[in-house]
């Protein structure tokens, strides 16, 4: 039973205090950062700042740091038990001083007696209660979220439908539709060759924006189309299309963005380490770049070799 609940925690969406109550929880893994192997840490340097990520030996993110300057940075800590998230702490530092007023902590309790229920309590570092989220699961799927704070109680109901192979997940907040996710797949000889995901957001029950994403058989994003509401026609209008091309080893090589009659092409060049992770990314024609310094846990083979 615990293994099933751990899997649920690994696939749900990341909660942000700025988001609405239809959001869910997520645990980040090495793969979410375009990394593979037994990665211990990754330091990303860009022309606008630095990001640092630490992982445990199970590949779960335990710490992330976003550095805007030497004195301004944010640190998030993640604490687990048997692969399940117990705590998440966001600490903000400005001018090298810890800012209690904007720092938050989330604490999770898990009730698996009948159907799975996860309760998240969010408290400020000034020890003020901010929010509580209760996530209810049935048959391995979330079906209800209750959000409570000083402003009142919001209830999000999650429904599922499967029509002609298209699966749709719909979120209703206090009875009003807020978001829907429709997924369809193309198969050849029982293998997925293409997956299409259409995510719509609603405002006052009417579509306000949408993103349609297409993934290939290796689950790499090959096309993304953005739609926005047209005030005159009150319908969603296609605004931007992005097409992605990959190299033989699966690395992004080109991104073409089309908006109206305008078109922009970006080329990606990589340097890789011996484990197949990229350590330098150059984007032309801007010639912007990112570098990554990656450290790894010793594998059992390396330990035995040293012995």
């Amino acid at each position: 039973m615990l293994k099933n609940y751990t899997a649920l925690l690994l696939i749900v969406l990341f909660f942000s205090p700025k988001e609405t109550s239809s959001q869910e929880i997520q645990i980040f893994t090495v793969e979410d950062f375009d990394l593979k192997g037994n990665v211990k840490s990754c330091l990303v340097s860009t022309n606008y700042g630095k990001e640092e990520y630490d992982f445990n030996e199970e590949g779960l993110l335990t710490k992330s740091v976003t550095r805007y300057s030497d004195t301004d940075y944010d640190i998030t800590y993640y604490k687990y038990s048997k692969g399940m998230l117990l705590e998440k702490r966001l600490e903000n530092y400005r001018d090298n001083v810890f800012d209690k007023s904007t720092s938050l902590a989330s604490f999770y309790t898990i009730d698996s007696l009948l159907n799975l229920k996860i309760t998240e309590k969010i408290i400020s570092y000034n020890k003020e209660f901010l929010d509580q989220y209760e996530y209810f699961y049935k048959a391995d799927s979330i079906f209800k979220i209750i959000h409570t704070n000083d402003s009142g109680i919001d209830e999000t109901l999650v429904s599922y439908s499967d029509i002609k192979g298209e699966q749709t997940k719909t979120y209703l907040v206090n009875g009003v539709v807020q978001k829907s996710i429709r997924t369809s797949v193309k198969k050849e000889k029982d293998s997925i060759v293409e997956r299409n995901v259409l995510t719509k957001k609603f405002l006052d029950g009417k579509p306000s924006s949408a993103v349609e994403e297409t993934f290939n058989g290796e689950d790499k994003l090959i096309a993304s189309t953005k739609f926005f509401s047209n005030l005159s026609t009150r319908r969603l209008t296609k605004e931007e299309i992005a097409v992605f091309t990959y190299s033989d080893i699966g690395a992004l090589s080109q991104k073409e963005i089309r908006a109206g009659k305008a078109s922009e092409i970006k080329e990606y060049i990589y340097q890789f380490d011996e484990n197949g992770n990229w350590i330098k990314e150059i984007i032309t024609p801007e010639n912007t770049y990112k570098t990554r310094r990656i450290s790894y846990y010793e594998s059992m083979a390396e330990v035995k070799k040293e012995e």
Side-chain angles (χ1 to χ4, degrees):
M1 295 291 286
L2 281 177
K3 288 183 179 179
N4 290 336
Y5 298 147
T6 301
L8 280 171
L9 286 171
L10 291 174
I11 63 175
V12 288
L13 299 172
F14 177 65
F15 167 78
S16 167
K18 296 181 181 179
E19 296 287 349
T20 59
S21 58
S22 70
Q23 296 302 301
E24 301 166 37
I25 310 159
Q26 184 182 21
I27 294 176
F28 290 107
T29 68
V30 165
E31 290 79 9
D32 293 312
F33 297 88
D34 192 22
L35 292 163
K36 53 188 177 183
N38 52 342
V39 175
K40 183 177 183 180
S41 66
C42 178
L43 172 62
V44 184
S45 299
T46 69
N47 55 349
Y48 54 81
K50 294 181 178 180
E51 296 175 355
E52 303 169 27
Y53 305 104
D54 292 345
F55 304 90
N56 63 18
E57 293 189 75
E58 286 71 48
L60 302 178
L61 180 68
T62 58
K63 178 183 175 183
S64 65
V65 183
T66 300
R67 296 188 181 275
Y68 311 102
S69 68
D70 290 338
T71 58
D72 296 337
Y73 50 94
D74 302 330
I75 305 177
T76 305
Y77 298 95
Y78 302 86
K79 184 179 179 180
Y80 308 93
S81 175
K82 297 180 180 179
M84 293 184 288
L85 185 61
L86 293 183
E87 294 181 18
K88 181 180 67 179
R89 295 176 178 270
L90 172 61
E91 299 182 354
N92 298 321
Y93 294 81
R94 298 296 179 265
D95 295 325
N96 272 334
V97 177
F98 175 55
D99 187 352
K100 275 190 176 182
S101 64
T102 61
S103 298
L104 307 172
S106 290
F107 301 94
Y108 302 87
T109 57
I110 299 170
D111 180 358
S112 58
L113 184 60
L114 296 173
N115 291 316
L116 176 64
K117 174 187 173 184
I118 302 172
T119 301
E120 175 185 18
K121 291 184 179 180
I122 305 173
I123 300 171
S124 75
Y125 270 69
N126 289 325
K127 298 185 178 180
E128 294 179 278
F129 168 80
L130 299 176
D131 293 275
Q132 176 175 287
Y133 289 81
E134 296 172 279
Y135 308 93
F136 297 83
Y137 296 83
K138 185 183 294 183
D140 293 346
S141 297
I142 191 165
F143 75 94
K144 183 168 65 175
I145 305 168
I146 296 179
H147 172 214
T148 305
N149 61 17
D150 291 342
S151 300
I153 300 175
D154 292 315
E155 181 182 71
T156 299
L157 296 179
V158 186
S159 64
Y160 302 83
S161 66
D162 190 335
I163 301 175
K164 295 182 179 180
E166 288 188 346
Q167 298 177 338
T168 302
K169 183 177 181 180
T170 304
Y171 294 79
L172 291 94
V173 179
N174 299 329
V176 180
V177 62
Q178 185 189 61
K179 183 172 70 173
S180 67
I181 305 171
R182 187 204 69 197
T183 303
S184 60
V185 298
K186 291 182 180 179
K187 291 185 177 181
E188 289 183 3
K189 298 179 180 180
D190 296 327
S191 296
I192 296 176
V193 295
E194 189 173 283
R195 181 167 61 92
N196 183 275
V197 181
L198 175 64
T199 303
K200 285 186 181 181
K201 292 185 178 180
F202 296 79
L203 183 63
D204 297 328
K206 298 178 181 179
S208 59
S209 64
V211 177
E212 184 174 21
E213 297 174 307
T214 302
F215 300 83
N216 63 18
E218 285 73 46
D219 207 33
K220 291 188 177 295
L221 180 65
I222 57 175
S224 176
T225 304
K226 294 181 180 179
F227 300 84
F228 294 95
S229 178
N230 187 307
L231 295 177
S232 59
T233 63
R234 296 184 179 181
R235 301 176 67 177
L236 291 177
T237 303
K238 188 183 299 183
E239 295 286 343
E240 181 182 289
I241 301 174
V243 179
F244 304 85
T245 304
Y246 298 86
S247 67
D248 293 338
I249 61 173
L252 179 63
S253 59
Q254 181 179 285
K255 177 181 179 181
E256 181 180 2
I257 303 173
R258 307 167 191 159
K261 296 182 179 180
S263 178
E264 179 185 11
I265 296 178
K266 296 183 178 182
E267 304 283 347
Y268 294 77
I269 303 169
Y270 294 96
Q271 293 179 6
F272 296 88
D273 67 10
E274 59 185 9
N275 295 287
N277 286 311
W278 66 263
I279 53 176
K280 188 170 185 179
E281 176 191 68
I282 302 172
I283 305 175
T284 62
E286 299 98 328
N287 285 325
T288 57
Y289 71 91
K290 290 181 182 179
T291 60
R292 302 199 299 188
R293 191 167 72 236
I294 304 169
S295 65
Y296 298 86
Y297 288 102
E298 284 187 309
S299 66
M300 290 302 296
E302 290 173 335
V303 172
K304 289 180 179 179
K305 186 177 179 180
E306 289 179 0
E307 291 176 350

